[in-house]
Amino acid sequence: MTKLTYQPTTLENWVSRFYRKNGLLYPDDLYISDISCKLGIYLTMDQPFTYSFEEDDLKLINVSYDLPTHKQREAFFHELCHIFRHTGNQVMMPEAFRELQERDAKHFTIYAAIPFHMLTQYKLKDDQIHWTLAEDFNVPAEIARERVEKIYRNATKKQKMYA
């Protein structure tokens, strides 16, 4: 049986380095309030919709208060990507550029919600692992499923390259 080899992406490595540097080592450490505080981002939950805002030194993420907790975490990581990696007002930008930012935010969300360095304790070959990850990381099951699928897809591509 061939062992899967997986090389984390640059973005995955960046997220893991940031988390480890800030003492975020286990799924139970990933409180959105702590992460936002460490980054100097003002976190609110007082609007019925989710958005991020940045102007000068003010960085703000509002997460909709009426979402279930696992969806709030997904929304937070999505907006965190916009703060970290994007610039400009999406309302004013061309649709193709906005779509590019949204795809990037989706990838970031998966990596930030379930960071690579926290996966070493899990048996990813288990067919039901996404349910365990969803519960442990308090994220929607589809996020966990996609995380595992990305690992297998990228590991398989690498194996084919060297076969």
Side-chain angles (χ1 to χ4, degrees), residues 3-152:
K3 182 180 178 186
L4 284 178
T5 54
Y6 179 73
Q7 189 68 31
T9 67
T10 303
L11 181 57
E12 285 175 282
N13 283 327
W14 181 89
V15 168
S16 284
R17 271 192 310 274
F18 170 78
Y19 281 176
R20 285 192 307 261
K21 178 181 166 188
N22 285 285
L24 305 172
L25 305 176
Y26 304 101
D28 289 341
D29 297 335
L30 296 178
Y31 292 103
I32 62 176
S33 57
D34 291 347
I35 294 169
S36 59
C37 184
K38 288 176 190 287
L39 294 170
I41 297 171
Y42 187 61
L43 177 66
T44 60
M45 296 179 135
D46 62 359
Q47 298 291 323
F49 51 92
T50 297
Y51 63 91
S52 59
F53 176 80
E54 184 175 8
E55 185 174 306
D56 299 325
D57 290 338
L58 173 65
K59 295 177 179 137
L60 177 133
I61 295 176
N62 183 78
V63 177
S64 176
Y65 59 76
D66 60 354
L67 292 173
T69 305
H70 64 286
K71 289 299 228 178
Q72 287 178 343
R73 292 173 53 81
E74 178 184 8
F76 170 79
F77 289 120
H78 180 96
E79 295 304 326
L80 185 61
C81 179
H82 289 303
I83 296 273
F84 269 149
R85 297 175 53 88
H86 302 152
T87 186
N89 183 339
Q90 283 193 335
V91 174
M92 306 295 284
M93 66 181 55
E95 183 177 345
F97 194 61
R98 184 173 53 253
E99 288 173 0
L100 179 66
Q101 286 188 350
E102 290 303 311
R103 275 195 304 276
D104 183 54
K106 183 176 180 182
H107 290 293
F108 181 91
T109 297
I110 292 166
Y111 300 147
I114 306 175
F116 185 73
H117 71 282
M118 294 184 189
L119 291 175
T120 57
Q121 62 186 344
Y122 293 94
K123 293 179 182 174
L124 297 179
K125 292 190 176 200
D126 179 353
D127 289 340
Q128 300 298 311
I129 189 64
H130 66 279
W131 293 112
T132 301
L133 294 176
E135 184 176 326
D136 289 359
F137 288 88
N138 196 11
V139 296
E142 54 271 14
I143 295 286
R145 184 179 305 111
E146 188 165 350
R147 182 67 167 116
V148 173
E149 287 172 0
K150 278 179 162 295
I151 289 171
Y152 274 101

